[in-house]
Amino acid sequence: MRRVTGDRRPMWQTWAKVPTRLLPFADAATADLPLARLLRLSLFQVSVGMATVLLIGTLNRVMIVELGVGAWLVAALVALPILVAPFRALVGFRSDTHRSVLGWRRVPYIWLGTWLQFGGLAIMPFALILLSGDITYGPWWIGHASAALAFVLVGAGMQTTQTAGLALATDLAPEATRPRVVALMYVMLLLGMVAASAIFGLLLADFSQVRLIKVVQGAATVTMVLNLIALWKQEPRVLGRAAPGPSEGVDFRDAWSRLASRGRTRRFLAAVGMGTVAFSMQDIVLEPYGGEILKLGVGATTALTALMAAGALVAFGLAARWLGRGADPQRVAALGVLVGIAAFSAVIFAEPAQSPTLFRTGVVLIGFGGGLFSVGTLTAAMALDADGYKGLALGAWGGVQATCAGLAIAAGGALRDGVSSLATRGSLGEVLATPATGYAVVYHVEMLLLFTTLIAIGPLVRHPRRATAQSPSKFGLPAMPG
């Protein structure tokens, strides 16, 4: 065996000296659920992230710029998957109680979602080409109908796969490591989105209809492969019976009533919805605000996403430390709301001050506050699990977040356009007759919603004297919302 002399030593010895707390997710693994298996399971989140980038990023731009589709029609198509989001709770419940001849509960729903994604992506490029008017035979509406079908299929597949996949992850993970496991799933979602956006951008730089077909159908194939690898030998088979936990003969309405009656579930979900709307309305107007009002270049506005992500990552680290010391997750969420109020104030005052620095500070704080809010609500949502219905609880939380985020983005754009039109015509008075008025109204509405969210969270906060000295489980990097 080679001796180690001086400062030269094998790499494994160097890594072995790194404390576990400095290695994200290293302590999420257990003997029964090693890290390699966790990372393989998380591949379904990568496929969901890839589909998300296609729907709200790459194809959004391709339809408007290269294919010449109207922006209003593109917005309507992108919003169609929102119609499926409220059914995530039902999907989660069905995966809780599903009886399979093969003895699986989650796998059939993840596989169903995979096929829905595959089918939607397979027909999507042809549907978009027809939608652009490149059609020589057939009714004019065939492009609209096929494009709508493609978007609905992909959206339904994403929602089904993610809900059942997260429930499977919580099934496999011991309770002590469950927060870190779920967090790993969402971090993989973020990584999938980042990687997919870069790859799609490179592949479609030299755009043509044939290349569009190849790229989107290639994404369909990659989705199938990733999800198949993710599911391979993950869920144990329980032949002849449903998996343990939920009571027999309970329908969705009864299960939902039980969940809603636990503590203050309805108030919590209302707070999640309002907070999500408050942090999401700016998604579609933040970069245009920087470009149109503060005269920032394309590169500078593109960097805003990185700034917001950096703020969120800092929030994740701090929240992990606080929750590990027994902090109330509702207090963490409330702190995020307070930071969000300060963030939107900075963004608003950046216009009269003409200060890009103040604007960028506000963007970082938006990411920071949104990160704290997401961490707190995720941790609290995991405690909603009632009578073994993990899928129902996670589905309810995810459904509220997805629905409210989609509606908020659409409302933010519509509110900005409507108010700006009135302001530039002088209908709101001479003082407000500037392009910044529409943006400012959106940000003020978000601040109002944040104050309302604080009111909703207040009664949910644990009394300090009843707070435990230490959290029952250490919390790693928190989840990003889907």
Side-chain angles (χ1 to χ4, degrees):
M1 182 175 178
R2 182 175 62 88
R3 294 182 61 186
V4 178
T5 59
D7 293 331
R8 298 178 59 84
R9 63 186 64 187
M11 182 63 70
W12 67 267
Q13 289 187 4
T14 303
W15 280 107
K17 292 181 177 295
V18 179
T20 303
R21 61 186 177 85
L22 298 180
L23 298 176
F25 308 115
D27 55 353
T30 62
D32 295 330
L33 191 63
L35 189 59
R37 184 180 175 188
L38 272 176
L39 292 174
R40 183 164 61 84
L41 176 61
S42 67
L43 290 178
F44 78 87
Q45 285 285 70
V46 176
S47 72
V48 172
M50 180 174 60
T52 301
V53 168
L54 273 176
L55 293 188
I56 67 175
T58 305
L59 294 181
N60 191 348
R61 176 254 161 82
V62 166
M63 284 189 287
I64 294 176
V65 179
E66 278 78 12
L67 299 180
V69 180
W72 68 270
L73 183 55
V74 173
L77 290 173
V78 172
L80 279 177
I82 302 172
L83 300 176
V84 188
F87 295 97
R88 286 183 64 154
L90 178 60
V91 170
F93 171 75
R94 293 299 185 190
S95 71
D96 284 333
T97 58
H98 181 69
R99 280 184 176 275
S100 171
V101 175
L102 298 176
W104 286 321
R105 291 187 302 156
R106 314 295 187 186
V107 168
Y109 284 89
I110 301 175
W111 197 234
L112 171 62
T114 300
W115 275 106
L116 290 172
Q117 281 181 257
F118 178 85
L121 292 174
I123 67 173
M124 184 170 288
F126 301 104
L128 296 183
I129 292 173
L130 293 177
L131 185 65
S132 68
D134 190 0
I135 181 173
T136 57
Y137 180 78
W140 65 269
W141 49 263
I142 191 67
H144 296 71
S146 56
L149 175 62
F151 274 81
V152 169
L153 285 176
V154 175
M158 291 165 55
Q159 305 289 353
T160 303
T161 299
Q162 192 175 54
T163 300
L166 289 176
L168 175 59
T170 57
D171 288 341
L172 297 176
E175 186 175 357
T177 62
R178 194 170 294 163
R180 287 183 178 270
V181 170
V182 175
L184 173 60
M185 299 296 112
Y186 273 99
V187 170
M188 292 299 289
L189 173 68
L190 177 62
L191 294 178
M193 293 177 65
V194 172
S197 62
I199 294 173
F200 291 147
L202 291 175
L203 293 177
L204 291 173
D206 185 15
F207 178 82
S208 68
Q209 292 185 352
V210 174
R211 176 157 292 194
L212 176 66
I213 294 172
K214 291 180 179 179
V215 170
V216 179
Q217 291 196 330
T221 304
V222 172
T223 294
M224 185 69 69
V225 172
L226 288 178
N227 288 1
L228 179 60
I229 295 173
L231 291 180
W232 187 256
K233 293 185 178 180
Q234 293 284 7
E235 184 178 17
R237 296 172 61 190
V238 184
L239 297 176
R241 64 185 178 90
S247 303
E248 297 288 341
V250 179
D251 60 16
F252 173 74
R253 184 176 300 177
D254 293 337
W256 174 254
S257 297
R258 292 183 184 182
L259 179 64
S261 63
R262 289 287 181 103
R264 298 175 179 177
T265 303
R266 295 182 186 274
R267 174 180 283 271
F268 168 72
L269 293 178
V272 170
M274 287 186 292
T276 301
V277 171
F279 279 109
S280 301
M281 287 182 70
Q282 50 77 29
D283 281 354
I284 202 170
V285 300
L286 199 64
E287 290 191 27
Y289 179 78
E292 181 181 1
I293 306 303
L294 298 177
K295 310 303 179 185
L296 299 178
V298 176
T301 56
T302 303
L304 296 177
T305 301
L307 291 176
M308 192 176 298
L313 288 174
V314 173
F316 297 162
L318 289 177
R321 186 178 183 88
W322 296 335
L323 290 169
R325 294 179 174 180
D328 182 5
Q330 304 288 4
R331 290 182 182 274
V332 174
L335 178 59
V337 172
L338 290 173
V339 173
I341 294 172
F344 287 116
S345 299
V347 171
I348 292 171
F349 282 110
E351 184 270 328
Q354 282 297 297
S355 173
T357 301
L358 184 59
F359 175 58
R360 292 188 180 97
T361 302
V363 171
V364 173
L365 291 178
I366 290 174
F368 183 79
L372 290 180
F373 181 78
S374 299
V375 175
T377 55
L378 170 65
T379 309
M382 296 183 71
L384 295 179
D385 175 17
D387 301 326
Y389 294 105
K390 301 180 183 69
L392 175 62
L394 288 171
W397 174 71
V400 169
Q401 281 214 334
T403 304
C404 291
L407 294 176
I409 292 172
L415 182 61
R416 177 264 173 196
D417 291 345
V419 175
S420 293
S421 177
L422 292 175
T424 54
R425 290 203 308 262
S427 302
L428 302 180
E430 184 177 353
V431 175
L432 298 178
T434 66
T437 301
Y439 296 101
V441 169
V442 173
Y443 301 140
H444 278 91
V445 170
E446 289 180 294
M447 291 177 65
L448 177 62
L449 287 171
L450 288 174
F451 278 112
T452 308
T453 304
L454 277 179
I455 296 173
I457 290 179
L460 302 175
V461 174
R462 228 170 31 212
H463 194 279
R465 287 178 297 181
R466 291 185 293 172
T468 56
Q470 185 172 352
S471 174
S473 64
K474 295 174 68 178
F475 195 87
L477 293 179
M480 298 290 289

